[in-house]
Amino acid sequence: MNLTGAVLAGGRSRRFGQPKATYEWHGKPMLLYPLEALAEVCSERLVVARPDTPLPALPNEVRLCYDEFPFQHPLSGLLTALRRASCPLVFVCAVDMPCLQPTLIRWMVEQLGEAEAVVPEAAGRLQPLHALYRREVASHLEETLHANQPLPALQRVIRTLHLRILVPSEWHPLDPEGISFRNWNTPD
């Protein structure tokens, strides 16, 4: 599929208490789980991180991209992924999402239509770090970045795009328990 998959791994992991990317979960670093799921649907895979982020050894075909912006905000990683992607569509997820469902990602691509992004809603919130974006929205998001200080929450930023929001009744048949959207904020 002509799709870039980007895992954002540059967060500080304050609540987690240790770097999420290298945290051993069921015998391997957490970062490898989303990368393996993305290998099933993406022709290109990226890891976006700050230069000081501890990372495990990456598979040879995965490209490491350092955050291009000096601030600590998920928008930095999202923009870097969009700017560095070679495919026109970019699926973006967080490093602490080890249960991605490739079938759900494929289906999300089919839902894009004329929208600029496809974003699931789970637990009453949009999931901008389990979302599909057109690479071309980078310029719009960058304008938002330069126009707002302090930066608004990513939830608010993405609402400036033409979104296709996937409500739970739509995605539930592909991921009945919503495990794709579970992220890990504590090691237990």
Side-chain angles (χ1 to χ4, degrees):
M1 184 173 282
N2 193 18
L3 174 67
T4 296
V7 180
L8 306 189
R12 289 194 181 123
S13 303
R14 283 185 298 256
R15 289 175 289 178
F16 200 77
Q18 63 190 65
K20 292 179 181 181
T22 56
Y23 177 72
E24 290 280 326
W25 187 62
H26 294 283
K28 62 184 169 186
M30 190 173 292
L31 173 60
L32 298 184
Y33 289 94
L35 286 174
E36 289 172 0
L38 293 174
E40 293 185 36
V41 291
C42 298
S43 55
E44 174 184 53
R45 292 176 294 158
L46 310 175
V47 170
V48 179
R50 293 187 340 257
D52 62 343
T53 302
L55 298 171
L58 299 176
N60 289 336
E61 63 279 3
V62 173
R63 193 160 40 108
L64 175 60
C65 304
Y66 291 119
D67 276 336
E68 296 179 3
F69 301 90
F71 53 88
Q72 184 67 34
H73 193 281
L75 183 56
S76 172
L78 173 57
L79 274 170
T80 299
L82 293 172
R83 290 174 56 162
R84 295 292 191 88
S86 61
C87 299
L89 301 178
V90 184
F91 178 83
V92 176
C93 68
V95 68
D96 62 352
M97 297 179 123
C99 300
L100 296 180
Q101 302 296 303
T103 305
L104 179 60
I105 297 168
R106 276 189 205 92
W107 178 76
M108 289 173 65
V109 172
E110 295 169 5
Q111 303 309 303
L112 184 61
E114 299 298 315
E116 294 175 311
V118 175
V119 184
E121 179 186 294
R125 295 178 52 89
L126 292 182
Q127 303 295 312
L129 295 184
H130 183 291
L132 177 73
Y133 298 89
R134 291 188 189 275
R135 184 180 58 197
E136 63 204 35
V137 302
S139 57
H140 173 75
L141 293 176
E142 205 164 335
E143 289 172 15
T144 302
L145 164 74
H146 296 302
N148 292 285
Q149 291 301 329
L151 287 170
L154 190 55
Q155 293 268 331
R156 199 165 131 218
V157 171
I158 65 161
R159 287 191 182 274
T160 65
L161 300 173
H162 175 215
L163 299 179
R164 166 68 167 93
I165 297 174
L166 304 174
V167 296
S169 61
E170 292 178 285
W171 56 256
H172 188 264
L174 297 167
D175 187 356
E177 296 177 32
I179 61 173
S180 290
F181 312 113
R182 291 189 188 145
N183 58 1
W184 297 67
N185 290 317
T186 59
D188 26 324

